[in-house]
Amino acid sequence: MTDTTFASRPPQEGADDTVQPFAVSALDVRGRVVRLGPALDAILDRHAYPKPVSQLLGEAVALTCLLGSSLKFDGRFILQTRTDGPVSMLVVDYQTPDRIRACATFDRAAVETMTAEGRASTVALLGRGHLAMTVDQGADMNRYQGVVALDGATLEEVAHAYFAQSEQIPTRVRLAVAEMLTREPGQPPRHAWRAGGILVQFLPESQDRIRQRDLAPGDAPDASGRPDEFSDDDAWVEARSLVETVEDLELIDPALSSERLLFRLFHERGVRVFETQPVQDRCRCTRDAVTGMLDQFSAEEIADMTVDGEIVVTCEFCNTRYHYDPTALKNYAGTAEA
């Protein structure tokens, strides 16, 4: 890990699809900034989601990158929503050290109606339900899962509730997503998705500095409350207030690097930046994995899945289509091994 101060190096132009860890020792805070460009655009473009769905999933991807990139072991961080709203499910899967994939399930007619009526807000699209954040440490290891309510809350608010309840760490998150017009030399203009986010956490060495109010028991606190207001430490109030000044444009502007944004926020306190972490759009599906799944089905199930002499399996994340001759499968025509 490299440790660089802005005093010894001027802010450099940042790269898209990266996570920038940082620390402000004077305020006892650490955090990360995520900048997403081509990776997010590829995820959203292949699905051709309606604009409000793309915006919502983009926020979920940015939030997952901020959280998943903090894992210090080989594993996965999975963010998933289940609600009664038009966007009934979001799934974002981050696999260390840098792989991200995502998809959404939604009612297209309902989303189009809400959009036409100007009602396609995050809260309206999600409705009532819950958000689960799962840390998977791999085979033979226990999974850790935190669940928070999604009743009338944005993803930023839910993130605050999650950390207050499950981690009990003072945390502030800002997220932004936008569709921008780009033009390559000799090519017609096209729209491209961008997203950004910043997360800051209060982690003082002295635990006496955290004067936290009691939290309600359970994994699903009321997300409409103010779970981030559990510390009145001056340093945390200052750090949180600075992050709250960040505008959406600052998080998605391709001309403003993560380092320069952090310099704007914390230069008076002295901010350190560490080695950036890449993020890439890369699915986990493979033909071998899909074949192994199909080999678990019975001959009757294989027959039910066969259409026009073949079985087609489509990955919900990357839209890759796998074509199979059912006669090549292990259990075709009842030839399963005893």
Side-chain angles (χ1 to χ4, degrees), residues 257-327:
S257 69
S258 298
E259 289 188 0
R260 194 170 296 277
L261 173 60
L262 292 170
F263 181 76
R264 284 183 180 181
L265 290 174
F266 301 113
H267 66 279
E268 292 184 354
R269 290 294 192 170
V271 57
R272 294 185 297 162
V273 296
F274 304 92
E275 184 176 358
T276 58
Q277 302 170 232
V279 177
Q280 60 173 318
D281 161 39
R282 186 176 175 188
C283 192
R284 297 174 55 243
C285 72
T286 64
R287 174 167 287 276
D288 287 345
V290 176
T291 302
M293 176 194 69
L294 291 175
D295 281 340
Q296 304 303 311
F297 289 103
S298 67
E300 292 77 15
E301 291 170 324
I302 291 174
D304 290 339
M305 289 185 288
T306 302
V307 177
D308 296 332
E310 71 171 353
I311 294 175
V312 180
V313 179
T314 302
C315 176
E316 293 293 333
F317 287 97
C318 65
N319 272 350
T320 299
R321 295 169 64 87
Y322 297 92
H323 296 261
Y324 288 87
D325 178 353
T327 64

Side-chain angles (χ1 to χ4, degrees), residues 9-76:
R9 184 182 63 170
Q12 303 293 315
E13 182 179 353
D16 283 336
D17 301 330
T18 58
V19 176
Q20 176 67 73
F22 68 91
V24 185
S25 299
L27 298 178
D28 280 326
V29 299
R30 299 180 70 89
R32 292 176 293 281
V33 176
V34 62
R35 313 285 298 219
L36 298 173
L40 177 67
D41 189 53
I43 291 172
L44 299 179
D45 184 64
R46 71 168 59 99
H47 290 286
Y49 293 129
K51 185 175 181 178
V53 178
S54 291
Q55 290 176 320
L56 186 56
L57 186 59
E59 284 191 15
V61 171
L63 177 58
T64 301
C65 289
L66 287 172
L67 302 180
S69 60
S70 68
L71 297 182
K72 305 302 182 185
F73 50 82
D74 291 335
R76 295 164 59 200

Side-chain angles (χ1 to χ4, degrees), residues 8-298:
S8 62
R9 184 182 63 170
Q12 303 293 315
E13 182 179 353
D16 283 336
D17 301 330
T18 58
V19 176
Q20 176 67 73
F22 68 91
V24 185
S25 299
L27 298 178
D28 280 326
V29 299
R30 299 180 70 89
R32 292 176 293 281
V33 176
V34 62
R35 313 285 298 219
L36 298 173
L40 177 67
D41 189 53
I43 291 172
L44 299 179
D45 184 64
R46 71 168 59 99
H47 290 286
Y49 293 129
K51 185 175 181 178
V53 178
S54 291
Q55 290 176 320
L56 186 56
L57 186 59
E59 284 191 15
V61 171
L63 177 58
T64 301
C65 289
L66 287 172
L67 302 180
S69 60
S70 68
L71 297 182
K72 305 302 182 185
F73 50 82
D74 291 335
R76 295 164 59 200
F77 181 92
I78 304 163
L79 181 151
Q80 181 171 343
T81 67
R82 285 190 178 275
T83 67
D84 62 2
V87 181
S88 57
M89 185 168 66
L90 301 171
V91 182
V92 187
D93 183 339
Y94 182 98
Q95 182 177 18
T96 59
D98 57 8
R99 295 164 63 172
I100 191 78
R101 61 179 187 167
C103 63
T105 301
F106 63 98
D107 182 329
R108 184 175 293 273
V111 171
E112 290 176 351
T113 298
M114 294 180 67
T115 302
E117 296 175 352
R119 298 186 294 109
S121 65
T122 296
V123 172
L125 289 172
L126 290 176
R128 300 173 63 87
H130 68 268
L131 179 147
M133 301 186 188
T134 305
V135 176
D136 184 351
Q137 303 181 66
D140 303 321
M141 299 291 289
N142 291 331
R143 281 190 170 195
Y144 168 79
Q145 185 175 80
V147 180
V148 290
L150 263 173
D151 300 341
T154 66
L155 291 182
E156 286 182 4
E157 292 167 340
V158 170
H160 301 154
Y162 167 78
F163 277 101
Q165 178 64 27
S166 299
E167 304 290 341
Q168 300 187 16
I169 300 174
T171 302
R172 190 64 183 168
V173 174
R174 282 282 292 111
L175 303 170
V177 179
E179 192 176 20
M180 304 185 71
L181 186 66
T182 63
R183 182 191 294 271
E184 297 292 336
Q187 299 294 325
R190 67 177 296 270
H191 290 272
W193 287 99
R194 297 185 59 82
I198 183 170
L199 175 147
V200 62
Q201 296 182 307
F202 185 49
L203 298 167
E205 295 183 4
S206 172
Q207 294 302 310
D208 293 338
R209 293 183 63 189
I210 302 180
R211 295 181 288 279
Q212 179 173 321
R213 65 174 174 82
D214 291 337
L215 296 171
D219 283 336
D222 180 4
S224 64
R226 303 295 298 275
D228 58 322
E229 292 188 352
F230 44 64
S231 175
D232 58 359
D233 188 285
D234 290 343
W236 172 236
V237 171
E238 179 180 344
R240 184 183 65 201
S241 299
L242 288 171
V243 170
E244 290 173 347
T245 68
V246 177
E247 299 181 357
D248 288 358
L249 181 60
E250 292 179 293
L251 292 173
I252 60 174
D253 185 355
L256 179 63
S257 69
S258 298
E259 289 188 0
R260 194 170 296 277
L261 173 60
L262 292 170
F263 181 76
R264 284 183 180 181
L265 290 174
F266 301 113
H267 66 279
E268 292 184 354
R269 290 294 192 170
V271 57
R272 294 185 297 162
V273 296
F274 304 92
E275 184 176 358
T276 58
Q277 302 170 232
V279 177
Q280 60 173 318
D281 161 39
R282 186 176 175 188
C283 192
R284 297 174 55 243
C285 72
T286 64
R287 174 167 287 276
D288 287 345
V290 176
T291 302
M293 176 194 69
L294 291 175
D295 281 340
Q296 304 303 311
F297 289 103
S298 67

